[in-house]
Amino acid sequence: MAKHEQEGNVLEVQKTRLKPPPLYKVILLNDDYTPMDFVVVVLQTVFAMSREKATQVMLQIHREGMGVCGTYTREVAAAKVDQVLGFARKYQHPLQCTMEEI
Ligand code: TYC
């Protein structure tokens, strides 16, 4: 840590680089009841996907059981999970969403 004298005050200069924040995958789970169109709208709204991309991702989740919707810092990932669960609850669909550190 370098020190600089400036008008009598000692300023400490941060030399060491900060670690990049950990990233989290937001994962959507398949179920037998949530309508496909609803999942497509969620992917478009919460994850800013085009209709075409959202349809691809929805079908991949439908076939494989789960899928990654995006990777974000912890707070952003948590907000996306909350948004998905909020929409699902509002329209009474059992859609589940979770996050996992990379
Ligand atoms: N499996 C659902 C159906 O057949 C569609 C679906 C896709 C639900 C993706 C959830 O994350 C999901 N209606």
Side-chain angles (χ1 to χ4, degrees):
M1 195 87 81
K3 286 185 180 175
H4 290 277
E5 288 274 355
Q6 197 178 306
E7 293 178 7
N9 297 317
V10 178
L11 300 177
E12 301 225 335
V13 178
Q14 177 92 39
K15 275 277 177 68
T16 45
R17 288 218 171 271
L18 294 175
K19 270 201 279 179
L23 292 176
Y24 292 77
K25 303 183 277 193
V26 175
I27 298 163
L28 209 56
L29 305 179
N30 187 37
D31 66 71
D32 291 339
Y33 305 103
T34 305
M36 290 185 171
D37 285 353
F38 181 82
V39 178
V40 170
V41 171
V42 166
L43 290 169
Q44 287 181 267
T45 309
V46 179
F47 300 98
M49 293 183 196
S50 67
R51 186 167 173 79
E52 293 70 27
K53 176 73 182 169
T55 302
Q56 281 178 11
V57 171
M58 181 280 295
L59 285 173
Q60 185 256 318
I61 298 167
H62 174 71
R63 292 190 192 108
E64 295 176 24
M66 63 174 64
V68 176
C69 307
T71 53
Y72 307 94
T73 55
R74 184 156 51 109
E75 291 74 13
V76 174
K80 304 260 181 209
V81 170
D82 283 351
Q83 242 186 306
V84 171
L85 297 178
F87 272 129
R89 179 181 255 274
K90 181 172 176 187
Y91 293 96
Q92 299 190 311
H93 295 310
L95 184 62
Q96 287 300 308
C97 185
T98 187
M99 59 194 266
E100 201 176 276
E101 191 175 344
I102 296 175

